[in-house]
Coordinates of all heavy atoms in Angstrom, one line a residue:
S1 N -43.6 -30.7 -16.6 CA -42.3 -30.9 -17.4 C -42.7 -31.1 -18.9 O -42.1 -32.0 -19.6 CB -41.5 -32.1 -16.8 OG -41.2 -31.9 -15.5
G2 N -43.6 -30.4 -19.4 CA -43.9 -30.5 -20.8 C -45.0 -31.5 -21.2 O -45.4 -31.6 -22.3
K3 N -45.5 -32.2 -20.2 CA -46.6 -33.1 -20.4 C -47.9 -32.5 -20.3 O -48.3 -31.9 -19.3 CB -46.5 -34.3 -19.4 CG -45.2 -35.1 -19.4 CD -45.3 -36.2 -18.3 CE -44.0 -37.0 -18.4 NZ -44.0 -38.0 -17.3
D4 N -48.6 -32.4 -21.5 CA -49.9 -31.7 -21.5 C -51.1 -32.6 -21.8 O -52.1 -32.0 -22.1 CB -49.8 -30.5 -22.5 CG -49.5 -31.0 -23.9 OD1 -49.3 -32.2 -24.1 OD2 -49.5 -30.1 -24.8
E5 N -50.9 -33.9 -21.8 CA -52.1 -34.7 -22.1 C -53.0 -34.6 -21.0 O -52.8 -34.3 -19.8 CB -51.6 -36.2 -22.3 CG -51.0 -36.9 -21.1 CD -49.5 -36.8 -21.1 OE1 -49.0 -35.9 -21.8 OE2 -48.9 -37.6 -20.4
S6 N -54.3 -35.0 -21.3 CA -55.4 -34.9 -20.3 C -55.1 -35.9 -19.2 O -54.6 -37.0 -19.4 CB -56.7 -35.2 -20.9 OG -56.7 -36.5 -21.5
V7 N -55.3 -35.4 -17.9 CA -55.1 -36.3 -16.7 C -56.3 -36.2 -15.8 O -57.1 -35.3 -15.9 CB -53.8 -35.9 -16.0 CG1 -52.6 -36.0 -16.8 CG2 -53.9 -34.4 -15.5
A8 N -56.3 -37.1 -14.9 CA -57.4 -37.1 -13.8 C -56.9 -36.1 -12.8 O -55.8 -36.2 -12.3 CB -57.5 -38.4 -13.2
A9 N -57.6 -35.0 -12.5 CA -57.2 -34.0 -11.6 C -58.4 -33.5 -10.8 O -59.6 -33.7 -11.2 CB -56.5 -32.8 -12.3
V10 N -58.1 -32.8 -9.7 CA -59.1 -32.3 -8.9 C -59.5 -30.9 -9.3 O -60.8 -30.6 -9.5 CB -58.7 -32.2 -7.4 CG1 -59.7 -31.5 -6.5 CG2 -58.3 -33.6 -6.9
F11 N -58.6 -30.0 -9.6 CA -58.8 -28.6 -9.9 C -58.7 -28.4 -11.5 O -57.8 -29.0 -12.1 CB -58.0 -27.6 -9.2 CG -58.2 -27.7 -7.7 CD1 -57.3 -28.2 -6.8 CD2 -59.4 -27.2 -7.1 CE1 -57.5 -28.3 -5.5 CE2 -59.6 -27.2 -5.8 CZ -58.7 -27.8 -4.9
D12 N -59.5 -27.5 -12.0 CA -59.4 -27.2 -13.4 C -58.7 -25.9 -13.6 O -59.3 -24.8 -13.3 CB -60.8 -27.1 -14.0 CG -60.9 -26.7 -15.5 OD1 -59.8 -26.8 -16.1 OD2 -62.0 -26.5 -16.0
M13 N -57.4 -26.0 -14.0 CA -56.6 -24.7 -14.2 C -56.0 -24.7 -15.5 O -55.8 -25.8 -16.1 CB -55.5 -24.6 -13.1 CG -56.1 -24.8 -11.7 SD -54.8 -24.6 -10.4 CE -54.6 -22.8 -10.4
S14 N -55.7 -23.6 -16.1 CA -55.2 -23.5 -17.4 C -54.4 -22.2 -17.6 O -54.6 -21.2 -16.9 CB -56.4 -23.5 -18.5 OG -57.3 -22.5 -18.2
N15 N -53.4 -22.3 -18.5 CA -52.6 -21.2 -18.9 C -53.4 -20.1 -19.6 O -54.3 -20.5 -20.4 CB -51.4 -21.6 -19.7 CG -50.3 -22.3 -18.9 OD1 -50.4 -22.4 -17.7 ND2 -49.3 -22.7 -19.6
V16 N -53.1 -18.9 -19.4 CA -53.6 -17.8 -20.1 C -52.5 -17.3 -21.0 O -51.6 -16.6 -20.6 CB -54.2 -16.6 -19.2 CG1 -54.7 -15.5 -20.1 CG2 -55.2 -17.2 -18.3
G17 N -52.6 -17.6 -22.3 CA -51.5 -17.3 -23.2 C -50.4 -18.2 -23.0 O -50.4 -19.2 -22.3
S18 N -49.2 -17.9 -23.6 CA -48.0 -18.7 -23.5 C -46.9 -17.7 -23.3 O -46.4 -17.0 -24.2 CB -47.8 -19.4 -24.9 OG -46.7 -20.3 -24.8
N19 N -46.4 -17.7 -22.1 CA -45.4 -16.7 -21.8 C -44.4 -17.2 -20.7 O -44.6 -18.3 -20.1 CB -46.0 -15.4 -21.4 CG -47.1 -15.6 -20.3 OD1 -46.8 -16.0 -19.1 ND2 -48.4 -15.3 -20.6
V20 N -43.5 -16.3 -20.3 CA -42.5 -16.7 -19.3 C -43.0 -16.7 -17.9 O -42.4 -17.2 -17.0 CB -41.2 -15.8 -19.4 CG1 -41.6 -14.4 -18.8 CG2 -40.0 -16.4 -18.8
L21 N -44.2 -16.1 -17.7 CA -44.9 -16.2 -16.4 C -45.4 -17.5 -16.1 O -45.4 -18.0 -14.9 CB -46.0 -15.1 -16.3 CG -45.4 -13.6 -16.3 CD1 -46.6 -12.7 -16.4 CD2 -44.6 -13.3 -15.1
N22 N -46.1 -18.1 -17.1 CA -46.7 -19.4 -16.9 C -45.9 -20.6 -17.4 O -46.2 -21.8 -17.2 CB -48.2 -19.5 -17.4 CG -48.2 -19.2 -18.8 OD1 -47.3 -19.5 -19.6 ND2 -49.3 -18.5 -19.3
G23 N -44.8 -20.3 -18.1 CA -43.9 -21.4 -18.6 C -44.4 -22.0 -19.8 O -43.8 -23.0 -20.3
A24 N -45.5 -21.4 -20.5 CA -46.0 -22.0 -21.7 C -46.4 -23.4 -21.6 O -46.8 -23.9 -20.6 CB -45.0 -21.7 -22.9
D25 N -46.1 -24.2 -22.6 CA -46.4 -25.7 -22.7 C -45.6 -26.5 -21.6 O -46.1 -27.6 -21.2 CB -46.2 -26.3 -24.1 CG -47.2 -25.7 -25.1 OD1 -48.3 -25.2 -24.6 OD2 -46.9 -25.8 -26.3
Y26 N -44.5 -26.0 -21.2 CA -43.7 -26.8 -20.2 C -44.3 -26.7 -18.9 O -44.2 -27.7 -18.1 CB -42.2 -26.3 -20.2 CG -41.3 -27.3 -19.6 CD1 -40.7 -28.2 -20.4 CD2 -41.0 -27.2 -18.3 CE1 -39.8 -29.2 -19.8 CE2 -40.1 -28.1 -17.6 CZ -39.5 -29.1 -18.4 OH -38.7 -30.0 -17.9
G27 N -45.0 -25.7 -18.6 CA -45.7 -25.5 -17.3 C -44.9 -24.6 -16.3 O -43.9 -24.0 -16.7

């Protein structure tokens, strides 16, 4: 929901570009 600060997570995943497929910064 737009929160992009670093968090403790298990998997390392990231957006490729910023578009309507990945939801950009909102997720």
